[in-house]
Amino acid sequence: MFYDGYHFWGMNLIWWFVWIFFIILIFGWYTPVSRRYTHLDILKRCFASGEISKEEYQEKKNILADDLAKS
């Protein structure tokens, strides 16, 4: 049965490599949704790190809120 291991060393072994390649490809390049940041998240980080002042933060936050309301 199974030709004494012939199938394992034939196409079956090639398919193992193909599936392993696709698994590595999918999980290696996949970016979970939790790692994607919105514009507001980036703005909050800039404010928290001190790159922008409170006035700039409020102004840009209002602009983002207006843009969100328009769409």
Side-chain angles (χ1 to χ4, degrees):
M1 199 169 203
F2 294 114
Y3 304 107
D4 295 323
Y6 172 75
H7 285 284
F8 180 76
W9 296 110
M11 285 299 291
N12 193 15
L13 183 64
I14 293 171
W15 278 112
W16 274 106
F17 286 124
V18 169
W19 284 115
I20 289 171
F21 171 75
F22 280 122
I23 289 171
I24 291 170
L25 184 74
I26 289 169
F27 288 108
W29 286 346
Y30 174 72
T31 304
V33 175
S34 62
R35 290 188 184 175
R36 296 182 185 151
Y37 299 107
T38 64
H39 297 291
L40 187 57
D41 293 333
I42 297 169
L43 184 63
K44 287 178 184 178
R45 281 186 174 198
C46 290
F47 178 63
S49 67
E51 294 177 29
I52 59 174
S53 66
K54 184 176 181 179
E55 293 79 24
E56 287 177 301
Y57 172 75
Q58 290 295 335
E59 178 185 339
K60 292 177 182 188
K61 184 179 173 186
N62 291 337
I63 291 171
L64 288 174
D66 290 343
D67 287 344
L68 186 61
K70 289 179 184 178
S71 55

